[in-house]
Amino acid sequence: MRWGICSAGLIASDFCNALQCLDPSDHKITAVVSKSLEKAKKYAEEFKIPNVYDSYEEFAKDPNIDLVYLSTINCYHHPLSVLMLNNGKPVLCEKTCGNNLKETVEMLELAKSQKLFFMEGLWSNFFPAYAAIRKEIESGTIGKIRYLDVAFFVDIFSKPRISQRSLGGGGILEIGVYTIWLANFIFREKPETITAVGTIADTGVDQSANIILTYKDGARASLSYNTAVTGRTDAYIYGTKGKIYVCPPFWGANKIEVNGEEREFPLPKSNATYNYPNSAGLAYQADCVRQCFEKGQLECPAHVHSDTLSIIKIIEEARRQLHENHKET
């Protein structure tokens, strides 16, 4: 797998470091692009990348790229994914791949029409801890799931990519998406009702919210996120026979408790310094994508296109309610 790295930001650095945890005969970085040629050259030097670009168009035409990892700020996900796909490049695009349902549908339909692999990079799906959680739920260890309580509180609103609408900002796209993903992962069905209350900042984007999802059998999910305070980053899954506690950070879990019994899932070994918690776990996602690509699959079974659409639809409705309630006040 010859990777092209589209952007030279912090998460891209973590992704490149995570690739070093994998067999070098399976993964190689052959190109990097950034609007800043200086940043791209720095990446190329650090990760021994042979081809460096400051033009996205030239990067998209590089014949030595098998698949693009796209991790720009949110507002560029759609246009750059479209550019890559139109140039025959499969794409792994960081979450959320689209800022809204319209963009998301366009990206997925384009990938399908071009017969190219495309996946939203929700890396949480690929952690061994979540494979264990799935197994425990399906085996009935904690009985029938009745309630999910998950929270993601981190003080990041001062960053322009979070606070500015023109950059695709907003808490729900940055961190709330993980809480919605977890509800979908646990319940595996469409919620019957969606209720959202929260705070819209002066910049016009959502700063925090609590979202309640209810399901046809009366089960509920309480999803909380806040970009203005630091606090909880864990999850509780309650069933009729017990509970599963997902230790912080729940979106990159390497430790869980099943009915009080602690289980640990060591991350891939790495000597690198990462920017974000447990980012060595990006290796799980990268290797799964490689396997799908080599099999000729256009979607990854762990996170298919319908999963992406389900998440963005909940985001759209929650965001609609948040802005509507803000106008009323």
Side-chain angles (χ1 to χ4, degrees), residues 305-323:
H305 292 178
S306 60
D307 294 328
T308 294
L309 289 172
S310 175
I311 290 170
I312 196 65
K313 286 176 182 177
I314 294 173
I315 286 175
E316 288 267 87
E317 175 56 22
R319 197 161 46 185
R320 183 194 69 77
Q321 292 184 29
L322 293 174
H323 285 276

Side-chain angles (χ1 to χ4, degrees), residues 207-311:
Q207 187 176 69
S208 64
N210 182 254
I211 303 168
I212 303 295
L213 307 180
T214 60
Y215 297 89
K216 61 185 179 182
D217 65 352
R220 292 198 309 278
S222 173
L223 320 177
S224 303
Y225 69 89
N226 196 313
T227 61
V229 300
T230 295
R232 282 184 58 197
T233 57
D234 58 2
Y236 293 85
I237 306 161
Y238 295 95
T240 54
K241 297 180 180 178
K243 69 178 181 181
I244 297 174
Y245 175 59
V246 187
C247 302
F250 77 87
W251 64 92
N254 65 330
K255 188 183 294 184
I256 64 174
E257 294 177 10
V258 181
N259 290 334
E261 178 191 342
E262 185 176 288
R263 302 181 191 178
E264 193 164 355
F265 304 85
L267 294 167
K269 292 182 180 179
S270 173
N271 295 321
T273 299
Y274 291 92
N275 298 295
Y276 299 107
N278 293 358
S279 278
L282 286 163
Y284 300 129
Q285 176 180 245
D287 209 44
C288 187
V289 168
R290 176 190 63 80
Q291 293 174 43
C292 291
F293 185 77
E294 291 182 352
K295 293 174 184 175
Q297 295 173 313
L298 302 184
E299 299 182 46
C300 180
H303 192 62
V304 294
H305 292 178
S306 60
D307 294 328
T308 294
L309 289 172
S310 175
I311 290 170

Side-chain angles (χ1 to χ4, degrees), residues 107 115 193 261 277 308:
M107 296 156 80
K115 294 182 173 56
T193 64
E261 178 191 342
T308 294

Side-chain angles (χ1 to χ4, degrees), residues 29 42 82 123 149 184 193 231 240 291 302 310 321:
I29 306 171
K42 183 180 177 183
V82 169
W123 64 317
D149 172 19
N184 280 8
T193 64
T240 54
Q291 293 174 43
S310 175
Q321 292 184 29

Side-chain angles (χ1 to χ4, degrees), residues 107-124:
M107 296 156 80
L108 299 180
E109 289 187 347
L110 177 59
K112 186 177 180 180
S113 69
Q114 299 278 41
K115 294 182 173 56
L116 293 169
F117 177 89
F118 183 90
M119 190 180 84
E120 178 181 41
L122 258 161
W123 64 317
S124 307

